[in-house]
Amino acid sequence: MGKKVVRKKISKKSVFKKTKGKKNVQSIKSELDGIKFASNLEKFCYQQLKLRNLHKNLKYEGETFVIVDKFEYQDKKYQAIKITPDFVDVENKILIECKGYLGQNQLFPMRWKLMKKYFKDKGEDWDINLVFNQNEILEVVNKLKLKYDEINNN
């Protein structure tokens, strides 16, 4: 009765590890054009950007933002809170973050809100895109293609 039940199921999409009712999903790492992607969703996004010749503008994990600086409080040191979006164009203030599965008790939603506040406090208006599936990637990439065409025509 005191033993942990651990079951593993391996599929093409993800790896599931079940422990006492909890489910952790780990993405499958993949590589394309010498770039190592953390998930197949990120790889799909890169492929769509490349098809529209936008992969040169939006760099994969090209920028890390320190959204809360490190600090000390009551003699205890706290690390900075950072976020590295999947695809970033700093010059045109565009970013894409791919999230296939958020799960429960993850820190990403808090970091995402802090990042938005970080840009707001700096007075910067970024085009921030959070995508969860391939259809959303197609919508965002098509929208960005139009935006880049407009930028290049001006």
Side-chain angles (χ1 to χ4, degrees):
M1 191 173 183
K3 283 188 175 182
K4 254 193 221 182
V5 177
V6 178
R7 284 184 259 151
K8 291 183 180 181
K9 177 184 176 186
I10 298 175
S11 69
K12 289 182 181 180
K13 290 189 176 184
S14 61
V15 178
F16 296 93
K17 201 190 294 181
K18 189 162 181 135
T19 307
K20 284 192 173 183
K22 295 179 183 176
K23 184 163 100 172
N24 296 327
V25 177
Q26 297 170 347
S27 60
I28 302 294
K29 313 290 185 242
S30 57
E31 188 174 333
L32 179 67
D33 293 343
I35 302 169
K36 294 181 182 178
F37 295 97
S39 72
N40 283 330
L41 192 63
E42 292 175 6
K43 180 180 168 183
F44 178 79
C45 187
Y46 175 79
Q47 289 170 321
Q48 296 307 309
L49 292 169
K50 190 174 179 180
L51 281 173
R52 290 157 186 85
N53 206 25
L54 301 176
H55 66 294
K56 295 172 186 169
N57 301 53
L58 289 148
K59 303 291 184 209
Y60 180 67
E61 295 186 346
E63 187 78 25
T64 298
F65 298 97
V66 178
I67 52 179
V68 176
D69 292 325
K70 66 181 180 178
F71 64 96
E72 191 173 326
Y73 178 71
Q74 294 181 348
D75 297 328
K76 186 174 178 182
K77 293 182 180 181
Y78 294 88
Q79 292 180 348
I81 299 174
K82 301 175 185 179
I83 191 166
T84 304
D86 295 322
F87 298 93
V88 182
D89 177 353
V90 175
E91 183 181 334
N92 294 304
K93 295 183 171 44
I94 298 170
L95 66 84
I96 302 172
E97 178 65 32
C98 303
K99 286 287 173 208
Y101 178 77
L102 283 180
Q104 294 178 337
N105 300 324
Q106 291 215 2
L107 295 175
F108 176 76
M110 179 198 60
R111 287 178 191 264
W112 191 248
K113 288 177 190 174
L114 286 172
M115 184 186 65
K116 289 180 178 181
K117 184 176 183 329
Y118 168 81
F119 289 134
K120 179 182 176 279
D121 290 348
K122 287 184 76 174
E124 297 181 4
D125 187 24
W126 279 69
D127 184 356
I128 299 173
N129 301 280
L130 178 61
V131 294
F132 292 96
N133 58 49
Q134 292 182 354
N135 288 335
E136 290 178 359
I137 287 173
L138 293 172
E139 287 176 23
V140 167
V141 171
N142 288 332
K143 176 189 84 165
L144 292 178
K145 177 65 174 158
L146 295 173
K147 185 172 187 165
Y148 278 110
D149 287 346
E150 186 179 304
I151 289 169
N152 292 332
N153 289 333
N154 289 337

